[in-house]
Amino acid sequence: MKKFEDIVSENELILLRYYNDSLTKIKKQLLDAAVKGYDKTHLEQLKANVENELAKLQKKFQFYSTERTSKIYSKSVKGTEASFRQLHIQFNPVKARTYAQFSGLHKNAVKTLAINTYKPLKRVVDVIGRDCIEYFERTNFNSTQDILKKLLKFFPDNEDLRATGLASVQGVVNGNITWQKAIRDFQEEFVKDSIFKVPYYKKDGTLHSMVNLSDYAELVARTTSAEAYRKGAETTILETFDDMGDLVQVNGHSSFPNSPCLPFEGAFLSLTGKTKGYTTLDEAKAQGLFHPNCIHHFAVTIEVIEEYERIEAGKSTGTVLKEVDKPPTKQREKTDAEAAGWSMADILKGYTGNDELVKNAFNNAFIDNETAEILANINKLPAVKIINDRGHGYYNRARSVISADNPVTFMHEFGHSLDYGLVKASSKGYGNYSKRLEAVVEKHRIKRMDKFPEKVANKFREVIKEYVIQNKVPNYQGLSKDGWAAVSDIFDALCNGNMFRNKKVDFSIAGHGAAYYRQYGTKEPEIFAQYFFLRTNNCTEALKVLKENTPELLNSLEELFTLYVKDLKNL
């Protein structure tokens, strides 16, 4: 039986495929209209193409809402029945697989789930239709300026694309570039980005934010799939146990320290309130359990059977929630070099040219178990020459050269050499291992500086004040050594370089800037190298900023580091 998370992810991928297939075709019609919209007959055909594609998408969503929801519901029923067999609980098996085959309590449950799934998906279709109709009917396709300005309305938060688009408008007006080139400059980002947005509201009805429709569709898929799975289990349990009881145990474990579900992990709940003295399922939901994107579910387990026995014996304690303290930044145990199987001599064989710098860097580094395993296998990576190029810090992957004149710079560039070195050693190419971070980095992109997290900005301001030495000049050496420059650069990458050296920003500590980060493929390797520095220098306070504000990004970095160790050992 597949795990709960795998079943939800499978459904999520199917829905996103439906959405992205239609979105690609619709974008093509919008771009074609920008180039040939002056031809009214052609324009009408393009508009009709969009309407036809939306009708197809709506039918796909209807199918998804009934058949895919029924399928995941059925998988939950089968999984619950399998657990009943293991616990020797008698039950009447449910044979239905499709929407039309369910009956009784299950039919009502599946019908309600299908309706609740389709409502937000219909909203997706309506939003796309509204924005496309406005584009086709309110754009003057005889005016290149008006066309580009209307296209830019699809990207209120993407500063890079707006800058490209506005420059193109100016270029067309001045006669410096052709209209076709303006569209080509615009096209790549237009095709890649999510151009439709939908308002996302809090429980109290107030607007939370405008969300990309692709993110919204993903959220809908994950949430409704999880709900269908849980409802399948709930209905099967209630139908089987009837008046005998309705207790379940919460399963799953969240890796996020701020998850509202953590206190409920392993707790017993009453599905309907029939079993007195236990928190009901609805009460638990009101306290945060089964929030959007939640990975938890519930089941009848051996512990539930034992709880019924305690109830019979009068020894039940009801629902007991876990005490959850907000954990500090993950502390790792420093590893002894000899016990971990690595030596300074091995590093010096692979990194030549400045033994003193290498020794200084690693004698003062914090080497945990995973980093030690990397160092123990460092001989598998390409040899690196260390130079001092007039104080500049960089890693040249083609020449396999690190330029550094101090331990802080060296450890950052050492991180780059690991990133590119593993790919080069395994495939003789010049790619970077950190490319796997692309999706999570894109998810955390800060596309407008007025959307920069205020909590992070205030923390950076406090740090800058703390490290001032004289004449209001910050101690940049101290900021670098303690990891604040590294974490600042990570946020500069997430801002596409719009934070560093921005005169309107008073909280920037360090970064690479817009000219660098607007180049494709620069963000992930810098974030990986900065994380390597933060980790090997035990910069817990700086890492805490990532943990509290971008926990998913930090978790992805930690998982990638673990995977890196595994792949290096297998090289």
Side-chain angles (χ1 to χ4, degrees), residues 55-71:
K56 290 178 184 177
L57 181 60
Q58 187 165 335
K59 287 182 179 178
K60 290 177 186 176
F61 282 168
Q62 287 170 341
F63 172 83
Y64 178 91
S65 300
T66 54
E67 299 309 323
R68 289 302 310 178
T69 299
S70 299
K71 187 170 183 178

Side-chain angles (χ1 to χ4, degrees), residues 101-218:
Q101 291 173 346
F102 283 104
S103 61
L105 287 174
H106 292 289
K107 179 68 174 179
N108 292 333
V110 169
K111 183 178 180 181
T112 301
L113 287 166
I115 292 170
N116 291 339
T117 299
Y118 181 65
K119 282 180 181 177
L121 295 179
K122 177 65 166 61
R123 189 181 181 202
V124 170
V125 176
D126 290 343
V127 168
I128 297 174
R130 179 201 65 199
D131 289 355
C132 287
I133 288 171
E134 181 179 342
Y135 171 72
F136 279 111
E137 295 184 353
R138 297 188 181 182
T139 302
N140 178 6
F141 286 98
N142 291 311
S143 167
T144 55
Q145 293 182 62
D146 193 47
I147 294 170
L148 263 179
K149 286 177 181 177
K150 283 293 193 299
L151 286 172
L152 285 172
K153 289 184 73 175
F154 287 113
F155 302 94
D157 297 332
N158 192 323
E159 289 184 348
D160 298 337
L161 192 58
R162 290 187 66 81
T164 301
L166 292 172
S168 298
V169 170
Q170 194 61 44
V172 172
V173 171
N174 295 337
N176 298 331
I177 61 174
T178 65
W179 173 236
Q180 286 73 18
K181 185 179 185 306
I183 287 295
R184 280 200 305 272
D185 292 344
F186 201 77
Q187 185 172 358
E188 184 178 349
E189 194 74 23
F190 186 86
V191 170
K192 185 174 67 174
D193 212 331
S194 179
I195 64 174
F196 299 107
K197 297 184 183 296
V198 63
Y200 186 71
Y201 296 95
K202 299 177 183 177
K203 286 184 179 179
D204 61 7
T206 58
L207 180 66
H208 175 64
S209 62
M210 295 296 291
V211 180
N212 287 333
L213 267 190
S214 57
D215 293 339
Y216 179 73
E218 183 180 341

Side-chain angles (χ1 to χ4, degrees), residues 283-302:
E283 289 169 344
K285 287 180 180 178
Q287 295 176 51
L289 183 64
F290 303 147
H291 54 83
N293 294 331
C294 184
I295 55 89
H296 293 87
H297 55 110
F298 55 79
V300 174
T301 61
I302 185 63

Side-chain angles (χ1 to χ4, degrees), residues 25-38:
K25 294 172 184 175
I26 289 169
K27 284 179 176 180
K28 186 178 185 303
Q29 310 307 308
L30 299 180
L31 284 171
D32 281 355
V35 177
K36 301 177 183 177
Y38 54 83

